[in-house]
């Protein structure tokens, strides 16, 4: 397996400390220390602020992190960003650099959700937090200088899973209409039995064992059961029609490879516009682990470019 990894990505993986989900508190604390030690450049053209907004009934408020251009030229599109972390880890601040790039390169306003994490708050807590923030974003779009008809949602890994779930939920609840979804290498299948999920073991950032533990915590041990909801695990959805333009990507050495390939195929069959990239030699979250590598730079450029393209395309369609 190691000799299949892109050479620029291989060395960083050897230095990457394996995640320990059996000691979740210590892992969270360790990640927080690492996060604070990494100085993320601040783009002087971007304003970053935190705000509490109304949450779902069982959770009165949700923290959001807003990224917006300090100087706005007209009404802008909006992006709801959902961080990753296997449904059990992560905070919005971990994606400060990426969200600033979305603002400067796609000329949009980004709202990032600090949703509740499992196992303290299993499904549907995190998803309902995201839905509440999406509704708030849509209803307060004009206050943020955003066109409510040009709001998309995106996230990576578990954030990608929540993106796919949120898009289904918004469609079925007849909630805010999304113009775009970007679930990057999404965590969408609780059954954890695809060929790629069985193939990827050892320290590959995320693997079969970590995936099993993450799903077990998110679904309170119900993962793999017949009754698991499609809003918990979007790979279980049988109707993908009526979903917005979708961009997704995955590494060939990612345990989520096959569930992503299946999701893309079924979106196409449902008549959804889809753009998809498969990156050989790449493990889970590669562009975040080694952002300076050539393949990471390509991936970042391509998905940020897709966001910019779709938001502008939607604007042109509206004008037409």
């Amino acid at each position: 397996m190691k000799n299949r990894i892109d050479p620029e990505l291989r060395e960083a993986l050897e230095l990457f400390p394996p995640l320990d989900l059996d000691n979740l508190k210590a892992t969270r604390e360790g990640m927080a220390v690492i996060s604070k030690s990494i100085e993320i450049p601040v783009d002087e053209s971007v304003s970053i602020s935190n705000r509490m907004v109304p949450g779902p009934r069982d959770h009165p408020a949700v923290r959001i992190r807003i990224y917006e251009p300090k100087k706005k030229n007209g009404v802008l599109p909006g992006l709801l960003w959902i961080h990753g972390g296997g449904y059990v880890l992560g905070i919005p601040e971990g994606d400060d650099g990426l969200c600033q790039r979305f603002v400067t390169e796609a000329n949009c306003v980004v709202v990032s959700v600090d949703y509740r994490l499992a196992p303290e708050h299993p499904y549907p807590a995190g998803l309902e937090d995201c839905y509440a923030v999406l509704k708030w974003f849509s209803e307060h779009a004009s206050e943020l200088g955003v066109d409510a008809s040009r709001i998309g949602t995106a996230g990576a890994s578990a954030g990608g899973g929540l993106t796919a779930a949120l898009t289904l939920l918004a469609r079925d609840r007849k909630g805010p209409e999304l113009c775009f979804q970007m679930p990057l290498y999404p965590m969408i299948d609780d059954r954890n039995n695809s060929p790629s999920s069985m193939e990827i073991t050892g320290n590959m950032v995320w693997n079969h064992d970590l995936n099993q533990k993450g799903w077990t915590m998110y679904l309170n041990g119900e993962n793999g059961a017949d009754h698991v909801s499609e809003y918990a695990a979007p790979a279980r959805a049988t109707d993908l029609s009526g979903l917005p333009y979708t961009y997704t990507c995955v590494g060939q050495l990612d345990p989520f490879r096959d569930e992503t390939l299946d999701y893309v195929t079924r979106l196409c069959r449902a008549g959804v516009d889809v753009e998809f990239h498969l990156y050989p030699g790449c493990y889970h979250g590669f562009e975040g682990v080694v952002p300076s590598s050539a393949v990471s730079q390509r991936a970042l450029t391509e998905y940020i470019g897709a966001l910019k393209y779709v938001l502008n395309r939607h604007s042109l369609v509206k004008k037409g």
Side-chain angles (χ1 to χ4, degrees):
M1 181 69 70
K2 295 292 184 185
N3 62 359
R4 294 175 58 195
I5 299 171
D6 183 289
E8 286 191 277
L9 304 178
R10 195 177 300 142
E11 183 179 351
L13 186 62
E14 291 170 358
L15 300 173
F16 191 87
L19 291 170
D20 183 2
L21 297 189
D22 292 323
N23 296 289
L24 191 57
K25 182 180 177 182
T27 299
R28 286 174 177 168
E29 290 171 351
M31 289 181 69
V33 169
I34 293 170
S35 180
K36 288 177 182 177
S37 69
I38 299 172
E39 192 170 333
I40 297 174
V42 175
D43 191 308
E44 294 302 325
S45 68
V46 178
S47 170
I48 304 175
S49 60
N50 293 294
R51 183 168 179 173
M52 302 299 293
V53 301
R57 289 180 182 178
D58 67 332
H59 186 51
V62 180
R63 183 176 73 95
I64 61 172
R65 195 159 169 83
I66 303 171
Y67 308 79
E68 54 192 327
K70 288 181 179 176
K71 293 182 181 179
K72 296 177 184 173
N73 296 314
V75 179
L76 303 179
L79 178 70
L80 182 74
W81 175 257
I82 307 171
H83 71 78
Y87 298 109
V88 300
L89 301 167
I91 54 175
E93 285 80 356
D95 294 324
D96 274 355
L98 180 59
C99 288
Q100 288 179 90
R101 284 192 66 178
F102 287 144
V103 172
T104 58
E105 297 182 36
N107 193 28
C108 64
V109 173
V110 178
V111 171
S112 184
V113 190
D114 190 13
Y115 59 90
R116 287 171 290 174
L117 300 174
E120 297 89 343
H121 304 284
Y123 169 82
L127 177 60
E128 291 293 351
D129 288 351
C130 293
Y131 185 76
V133 171
L134 174 62
K135 281 187 65 181
W136 177 89
F137 195 2
S138 178
E139 291 166 2
H140 293 78
S142 59
E143 175 188 330
L144 296 170
V146 168
D147 178 352
S149 71
R150 285 197 290 154
I151 294 176
T153 185
S157 191
L162 285 166
T163 293
L166 179 62
T167 307
L168 287 168
L169 196 62
R171 179 198 67 182
D172 296 345
R173 287 184 177 175
K174 303 192 185 311
E177 188 171 345
L178 293 161
C179 73
F180 177 60
Q181 69 157 342
M182 189 167 73
L184 304 170
Y185 39 90
M187 183 175 174
I188 54 175
D189 196 344
D190 65 294
R191 292 163 293 199
N192 196 28
N193 60 2
S194 72
S196 61
S197 73
M198 304 300 290
E199 171 192 342
I200 307 303
T201 58
N203 185 21
M204 296 286 282
V205 177
W206 197 253
N207 58 29
H208 180 269
D209 181 55
L210 290 168
N211 201 40
Q212 190 70 21
K213 290 173 181 174
W215 278 113
T216 298
M217 286 186 271
Y218 185 53
L219 297 182
N220 246 342
E222 296 295 310
N223 45 312
D226 291 340
H227 63 267
V228 170
S229 167
E230 64 190 56
Y231 307 121
R236 291 177 177 260
T238 56
D239 178 13
L240 298 178
S241 63
L243 297 181
Y245 189 112
T246 301
Y247 179 97
T248 186
C249 66
V250 70
Q252 194 167 343
L253 304 180
D254 190 318
F256 301 152
R257 180 193 68 214
D258 293 342
E259 59 202 70
T260 303
L261 287 167
D262 178 65
Y263 181 60
V264 165
T265 301
R266 294 191 300 115
L267 282 168
C268 292
R269 289 173 181 163
V272 177
D273 289 334
V274 183
E275 183 175 353
F276 169 66
H277 290 260
L278 177 69
Y279 294 101
C282 295
Y283 45 74
H284 186 73
F286 65 96
E287 89 287 13
V289 177
V290 194
S292 61
S293 74
V295 69
S296 296
Q297 287 295 306
R298 276 201 299 126
L300 285 159
T301 298
E302 284 161 353
Y303 68 67
I304 293 171
L307 170 65
K308 180 179 180 179
Y309 166 73
V310 178
L311 294 180
N312 288 332
R313 169 182 178 267
H314 191 76
S315 176
L316 292 172
V317 168
K318 275 185 65 186
K319 288 178 182 177

